[in-house]
Amino acid sequence: MDVLKEQDVQKYWEEGYLVLEGLLTPAECDALRQRMSEIIERMDVPEHCRIQFSTDHDEQLKTQGNADYFITSGDKIRFFFEKGVFDEKGDFVVPRERSLNKVGHALHAHEPLYKAITHSPKVQSIAKKLDLINPVILQSMYIFKQPDIGGEVTPHQDATFLYTEPLGRVMGVWIALEDATLDNGCLWFIPGSHKSGITRRMVRTPKGTFPLTDFVGREQNYDEKLFIPAPVKKGGAVLIHGEVVHRSAENTSASSRHVYTFHIMESHNTCWSPENWLQPTEQLPFPCLYT
């Protein structure tokens, strides 16, 4: 099963991303969405953990409880909310299914439907075509991009948060469970930007200190004219090199933009940084993609 053609492989390595149509069927997309609805229905989140997710300045990490909730989420299923969905008492001001920014970071380990998609023959075929010898799953997320309130994701590189030595060993697989359009917040990329390294890293701070994470270095300023949109139809996917610069705009439309995404690392001859916020645990070592 060759999902990628040779020209696709070449395009991915040259531009740092690749749009693939039809990775999942509409029925598979609908099943993943339905299962997430069931997860949300029984969602029970402690008051102090009703945190708002931001890639801009990690507002969610400003209190000890919130920081703990985030940094220990790598082997669990936890909930991260959009801005403005709670009142001053911590009560929802929107329906709970419209409140979430994302759910992460171990759907691939604890939810059979998500696990099956993550380890599917199609995804394994992609990794093999890219000559990955021993790819492992780092994390997974369900991203909602809620209508009218779906927040902006500012320009960034995934390697800022998922750092390896050498660089270039991480790839995101971003699967559209609904059409991702110019109106509802599709991804935008700077083609070729994965060839210039990174200038910022998110690292764990020394044990016993607060905050639990900090940034080393600074994000560059990017010319808006360099960004190219990557809309994709329901069931399509975008492969994202760990160093390519990408962003998405706010969703001010009436349509949501649900996505299931996960990150793969080539573990062969690769050092996963012990300073990364995300670490394998005894309960959940990074599972091999090929099993």
Side-chain angles (χ1 to χ4, degrees), residues 157 167 191-199 220 222 241 243-245:
Q157 298 161 288
L167 281 170
S193 55
H194 62 302
K195 301 175 182 179
S196 302
I198 65 173
T199 59
Q220 298 181 55
Y222 301 105
H241 190 285
E243 292 164 78
V244 73
V245 178

Side-chain angles (χ1 to χ4, degrees), residues 4-243:
L4 297 186
K5 300 179 175 63
E6 285 302 325
Q7 58 264 36
D8 295 327
V9 173
Q10 184 178 356
K11 184 178 177 66
Y12 171 76
W13 290 119
E14 286 183 355
E15 299 193 351
Y17 72 100
L18 180 71
V19 176
L20 286 174
E21 298 293 350
L23 184 69
L24 299 190
T25 66
E28 288 173 321
C29 294
D30 293 343
L32 292 176
R33 292 189 63 195
Q34 176 58 36
R35 180 57 189 148
M36 182 51 62
S37 294
E38 295 166 359
I39 293 170
I40 295 170
E41 190 64 32
R42 67 170 195 267
M43 174 176 66
D44 183 18
V45 183
E47 288 297 321
H48 76 278
C49 292
R50 294 188 173 195
I51 60 181
Q52 300 170 357
F53 182 76
S54 167
T55 59
D56 189 18
H57 195 258
D58 293 283
E59 294 292 327
Q60 76 272 29
L61 306 184
K62 285 189 173 180
T63 70
Q64 184 76 44
N66 290 351
D68 286 339
Y69 186 77
F70 170 77
I71 208 167
T72 59
S73 66
D75 59 359
K76 301 174 182 68
I77 296 175
R78 288 186 170 169
F79 306 94
F80 303 89
F81 298 93
E82 288 287 359
K83 294 179 180 179
V85 300
F86 299 113
D87 62 20
E88 64 279 1
K89 297 179 181 178
D91 295 325
F92 287 104
V93 297
V94 299
R96 60 171 46 206
E97 66 272 13
R98 295 280 295 271
S99 68
L100 285 155
N101 174 286
K102 71 173 187 176
V103 174
H105 289 92
L107 290 161
H108 64 283
H110 300 304
E111 284 292 327
L113 278 178
Y114 293 90
K115 183 176 182 179
I117 292 297
T118 306
H119 292 267
S120 68
K122 286 184 178 180
V123 174
Q124 292 183 8
S125 171
I126 289 170
K128 289 173 181 175
K129 198 73 174 182
L130 293 172
D131 294 326
L132 303 188
I133 296 170
N134 188 25
V136 296
I137 310 300
L138 300 175
Q139 65 168 358
S140 54
M141 297 177 284
Y142 190 108
I143 303 173
F144 297 84
K145 205 73 165 182
Q146 303 286 1
D148 301 317
I149 64 170
E152 174 189 17
V153 177
T154 56
H156 68 283
Q157 298 161 288
D158 291 344
T160 290
F161 308 94
L162 307 171
Y163 182 79
T164 62
E165 293 182 355
L167 281 170
R169 299 305 183 97
V170 172
M171 177 178 71
V173 181
W174 192 95
I175 305 172
L177 305 182
E178 302 177 285
D179 291 351
T181 70
L182 293 173
D183 295 325
N184 70 1
C186 71
L187 295 174
W188 293 66
F189 292 89
I190 299 181
S193 55
H194 62 302
K195 301 175 182 179
S196 302
I198 65 173
T199 59
R200 185 175 73 139
R201 284 184 59 197
M202 180 183 185
V203 299
R204 287 180 177 242
T205 54
K207 192 172 183 179
T209 62
F210 185 81
L212 302 183
T213 61
D214 199 1
F215 284 101
V216 176
R218 300 180 64 180
E219 195 71 53
Q220 298 181 55
N221 292 320
Y222 301 105
D223 184 348
E224 281 293 317
K225 296 176 183 176
L226 297 178
F227 283 93
I228 304 296
V232 59
K233 293 289 187 181
K234 176 179 178 178
V238 186
L239 306 184
I240 305 172
H241 190 285
E243 292 164 78

